[in-house]
Amino acid sequence: MRCAYCAASGTPLNIDHIHPRSRGGTDRISNLTLACVPCNEAKSNRPIKEFLAGKPKLLATVLAQANAPLRGAAAVQSTRWALWRELDARLPKHVASGGRTKWNRTRNRLPKTHAFDALAVGKLDAITETVSAVLVARCTGRGTHTRTRTDKHGFPRLRLPRQKRYFAYATGDLVTAVVPTGKKQGTHTGRVAVRATGSFNITTAHGIVQGISHRHVRLLQRADGYAYTFKQESCRPYAVASPEGGISTAVT
Ligand SMILES: [Zn+2]
């Protein structure tokens, strides 16, 4: 945690109203940020635009950060009741609050992760089993319609080909390349970026390997707009004997 205005860390931080309360600012998260005591006092009840008048870049950053976490929340707010009404006709269901999820998760002594939160949703007595690995599907897109790259002034810099596939491979395919000799010798596995020349780039877990000939490349999975990886859940509950002699579940 750092001060939003001077980036100081390791100092007590106050909750600062970006638009001061005395001037009609609300307590909503979009109006709150963290500030160290000197910055908080220096800003006092001045509007943020006045306080950061000489620092337009910082002003833009603070305002952008204040709005960022709300985008996801806004999407959920506007779709959840529509989703609920649609499901109403089709499936047996019940709704529960986010507070209940947290209560379920904390009394089962699970750490806060997406997977454990999903496990703890709704009415349940106890969580007896947890997951050890989670499949993460990340949107990667299927390419771009852009046919030119532009320079910083917006003028065309580079023409992109209409063709998507070269030597039977498309950018985004999951491939493995076994290079027998030379500088790039070894096995490289990852997403490929194709070139008309047949000299491909492969994005591996260890970085991008450039200039791999299409001859060495073997297809593992076609790009379908998503990237799939398994993420290990770091914490696994295990049973320990409690002082009373019963069995309780603890998490490392
Ligand atoms: Zn500060």
Side-chain angles (χ1 to χ4, degrees):
M1 289 295 182
R2 287 168 174 281
C3 170
Y5 303 123
C6 71
S9 60
T11 171
L13 294 172
N14 289 350
I15 294 174
D16 183 62
H17 289 76
I18 296 171
H19 183 53
R21 273 176 83 180
S22 60
R23 290 167 184 262
T26 69
D27 288 333
R28 297 176 68 169
I29 297 171
S30 57
N31 191 43
L32 301 178
T33 189
L34 291 171
C36 67
V37 177
C39 285
N40 195 214
E41 281 172 3
K43 181 169 172 284
S44 185
N45 68 340
R46 282 193 287 167
I48 179 112
K49 279 178 187 151
E50 192 188 309
F51 178 58
L52 296 176
K55 300 167 182 170
K57 258 190 186 170
L58 184 60
L59 176 67
T61 312
V62 171
L63 292 178
Q65 275 174 359
N67 280 321
L70 294 172
R71 259 180 249 136
V76 172
Q77 285 285 3
S78 57
T79 53
R80 58 179 180 166
W81 293 117
L83 190 66
W84 186 70
R85 277 193 299 275
E86 282 297 310
L87 286 172
D88 205 21
R90 291 151 214 242
L91 293 166
K93 55 153 182 42
H94 69 259
V95 286
S97 68
R100 181 161 195 138
T101 303
K102 186 176 181 181
W103 179 63
N104 283 336
R105 181 169 53 71
T106 47
R107 80 195 156 89
N108 282 282
R109 296 186 201 172
L110 293 171
K112 177 155 179 65
T113 68
H114 278 310
F116 289 143
D117 260 346
L119 207 57
V121 168
K123 291 172 189 162
L124 50 90
D125 297 325
I127 294 165
T128 53
E129 273 182 68
T130 60
V131 287
S132 56
V134 185
L135 177 66
V136 180
R138 190 167 54 85
C139 293
T140 55
R142 293 162 186 274
T144 171
H145 291 285
T146 314
R147 291 282 73 93
T148 51
R149 291 248 190 279
T150 57
D151 62 17
K152 64 179 177 179
H153 306 292
F155 286 98
R157 182 174 64 85
L158 201 68
R159 294 284 294 278
L160 296 176
R162 288 190 162 286
Q163 196 178 330
K164 206 167 179 181
R165 219 165 252 217
Y166 288 101
F167 305 94
Y169 297 99
T171 294
D173 287 348
L174 184 64
V175 299
T176 186
V178 182
V179 183
T181 53
K183 265 191 194 170
K184 311 285 163 64
Q185 190 177 3
T187 305
H188 313 287
T189 303
R191 301 273 153 188
V192 72
V194 299
R195 302 281 175 270
T197 56
S199 171
F200 295 169
N201 295 347
I202 298 176
T203 306
T204 70
H206 317 290
I208 298 174
V209 188
Q210 294 185 313
I212 301 288
S213 168
H214 70 94
R215 287 187 200 88
H216 303 310
V217 173
R218 291 289 168 272
L219 182 73
L220 294 178
Q221 188 185 34
R222 281 273 177 233
D224 63 353
Y226 298 91
Y228 306 97
T229 45
F230 277 102
K231 196 176 129 237
Q232 294 299 317
E233 284 292 332
S234 55
C235 315
R236 257 179 242 180
Y238 62 91
V240 291
S242 68
E244 299 84 46
I247 299 291
S248 69
T249 306
V251 169
T252 47

